[in-house]
Amino acid sequence: MTDNYCERPTSLLLAGILLLIVAAGCRNEAAAPDHRSELRSIKLATTTSTDNSGLLAELLPPFQAMYGIEVQVIAVGTGRAIKHGENGDVDVILVHARAAEDRFVESGFGVNRRDVMHNDFVVLGPAEDPARIKGSADVAQALRKLAATESFFVSRGDDSGTHKKEMALWEAAGVPPEGDWYLPAGQGMGAVLTIANEKRAYALTDRGTYQAYRDKLALEVLVEGDRRLYNPYGVIAVNPARHSDARYIDAMTFIGWITSPEGQAIIRGFKRGGEVLFTPDAVLDGGAGAD
Amino acid sequence: MGGADFIADSVTTAFGLIFGGAPGVFSAVLVSLQVSVTAAFLCTVIGVPLGFAVAVSNFRGRHLLITLLNTLMALPTVVVGLFVYAFITRQSLLGPLDLLFTRKAMIVGEVILGLPIIIALTNTAISALDRQVRDTAITLGAGRLRVSLTMLWEGRFGLLAAIAATFGRLIGEVGIAMMLGGNIAAHTRNITTALALETSKGEFSVAMALGIVLLTVALGVNFALRYLQGRGEVRP
Amino acid sequence: MSGPVVEITGLTRLFGKETVLDLPWLSFQAGRIHVLVGGNGSGKTTLLRIIAGLDQPSTGTLELFGHPVAAQSRSERLAVQRRMTMCFQKPYLFNASVYRNIEYGLLSRRLTAAERSRRVTAGVEALNLSTLLTRNARTLSAGESQRVSLARALVLDPELVLLDEPIANVDQVNKGLVERAIGALGARGSTVIVATHQLDQAYRLSAGVTRLDRGHLAPPALDNLLEGEVVQRDGTTVMLVGDTEIEVITSKPGFARATVNPGVIVLSHLPLTSSAKNSFCGKVIALRERDGLVAVTVDIGIELVVHITGSSLRQMEITIGSKVHLTFKATAVTVF
């Protein structure tokens, strides 16, 4: 019935190749190992802005080299990162939303929260600055001006750390962010900046992401330095009492490392576009070598 | 920059990625292939017999079932991802299997996405067969299995189209890969999630280039499928 | 085997409210060629499909090879299925070479590759298909497809063959070929049931013709069916039917069937002198009224039926036992 089908060597070869690809997926080849127990690894949920800053690409390889633990990074919005922590889908979370972090620990989802670093948020806007907020030391007042002039503002709108900070600032300003000028994009920081750039609008961003995108943007830093723009990062281990499968020891090793003098030194030394992005918070004084 | 510049830039970047062999791109291609080819294979093995059964059967709710299948083809991938997530998250039924954020989970999600497609299209292909295929096979003394295989063979063009359509849907989807894979570099980052990442970073040319890479890969697999199916056969 | 191959009792088939078949009783003897004659809608295709097992009757029983089919298990039915086969009016050929098509049925029988090859070759020769062997079967013309379909069935050497309009689409050149192949099947001992709408074709194939009219058995089409050898005698063509010689007009010698229309035979008390060459004397053995005419059956060595009016019957005072003469022209005889 199947004319010469089986006699064609090329057909068999192609079938063989397809099968090999499928088989390779089942074993642990070319791509990194898939099954957890084959290599010590932990899963870290963090935010897209943290991942996009490039810090983790500097921070994780030395950790893996020293401890033999691979850190698999799942970069999502803050809300979702915390959710994965609550559900026990990951072993440790690194986010920047203090109120949510505290709730996370209080509810028993996480243990051993430690400060890691901070960066700050800045308000970006077009050079022509129609709302005239440039150089303002009071971010709340700057936001009031934006609302009053109905200048376009692009928001994360995704319950992320950045978004939560933004909401807190609108509340401090006493102005509801509503109207045709307010644009919640529901996407990551990079996408939001691209939109703001396109529309010549204002936006709130962490300095790290700004540095990463600087050459693509025609926007400038207009407001910075207000202590309410301070953006602290916390790392929390998922509670092993809650999720017995959580790799608690390895997660603690990771936490220990990024808050150690070595880890902190890497953070301090991380630069983008010639500027330091993060200020380490864990080791307050100079620290005397590794322990 | 204008549209033409953007495309030109993307194509150049694509060639650079493909031939320059950026390691991230290579591993993303491999993950895409491993996940989608495996999922398409499973869909075929499970879905073609089911689609065949629907085509030759004659039970009461048959039309309702077909309507249902056609509706399921419109499932958004993120919905499928969420659905599977609910079953494999740590505290759920299948949590202890440690499936979340693995390629296996991506395959499961893609199989769920693809099954309605392959079943519905197989049903169409077999139903479109001349009624006489079955009659002829029976009167020539074929037993049940041979009759079924003969019908599948006679319907092979439609079946190939069904498999190709399913594979195309699977390799191009991003909602399931993102939700269930987590876009973990070197593990579950495939072409589409890498594409999404680059887009979210504003790296549009790189994203477009990845799109071109994806299409090239998909083209390659489709050529392989077509070749396996056979050349020079006259279409009915 | 002895006994009928197919026996049908009280069989009806309804499609919705429409009665497509209503056959109180019908049987087909083994080893012979039977023909079902009827136009479109006569039910002959439905009947063949029911016998072939592709359709189920609404009521009634079907017995094949002496066993009722309704009670059989799946494996028994499959075994019966493999003792017979069917060729359809518009055959479906598989999307593969002609060779593979012909071989298909053999794959379900336990045969060696050599035996399969031998049979396929024989079938191909019988139906003049050797130039088409490697062609994809779906590219063939209607007539060629019909012959491949027949070859497909022939190679199975089945005990029972059902053919639905096997010659309808075949080109003139190959018509004779196909008729001979069907004859060969009968000669081999297979039971053949052929459905056709052409009466002359039916009688070329067999004397056993059953007529179907809208699902019902209809009375036979012919009163005077003659079978015999056609030979040349001193410049005239003569058909030998038993001991009787009938002058006919035909160019084909050999075995043939023919008929004489009862309405054109002239009945007389005395022999007629005329241009009509067929003149016989015999005795009236039966009289029957039919549709305002009288059918007079006369034994002249063979039995012939003549139609005359009632008044003629009375005028001529014909009764059973009357000695009469029958006269008809050579051209009045239709040779199939």
Side-chain angles (χ1 to χ4, degrees), chain C residues 15 90 134 244:
Chain C
F15 285 125
K90 275 202 265 232
T134 52
T244 315

Side-chain angles (χ1 to χ4, degrees), chain B residues 130-133 135-144 146 150 153-154 156-157 233-234 236, chain C residues 49 54 74 78 81-82 84-85 88 90 92 94-95 104-105 107-109 136 138-139 152 156:
Chain B
D130 198 321
R131 201 250 300 236
Q132 271 201 273
V133 178
D135 288 350
T136 305
I138 290 176
T139 53
L140 290 172
R144 271 220 299 190
R146 190 180 283 272
T150 302
W153 177 255
E154 292 295 299
R156 63 190 181 274
F157 283 100
E233 300 282 353
V234 175
Chain C
R49 286 179 61 84
L54 298 173
R74 193 199 300 285
L78 189 60
Q81 194 68 259
R82 289 185 177 154
M84 64 184 193
T85 186
F88 300 90
K90 275 202 265 232
Y92 180 90
F94 299 120
N95 191 344
Y104 181 81
L107 297 171
S108 303
R109 275 94 174 156
N136 183 296
R138 303 200 58 85
T139 61
R152 213 164 45 173
L156 300 176

Side-chain angles (χ1 to χ4, degrees), chain A residues 30 32-33 36 70 87 89 191 213, chain B residues 30 85 89-90 98 186-187 201:
Chain A
R36 272 188 132 194
E70 187 200 4
N87 288 344
D89 298 327
Y213 281 74
Chain B
L30 214 59
Y85 171 82
T89 185
R90 206 25 90 179
D98 215 359
H187 291 263
K201 283 155 72 174

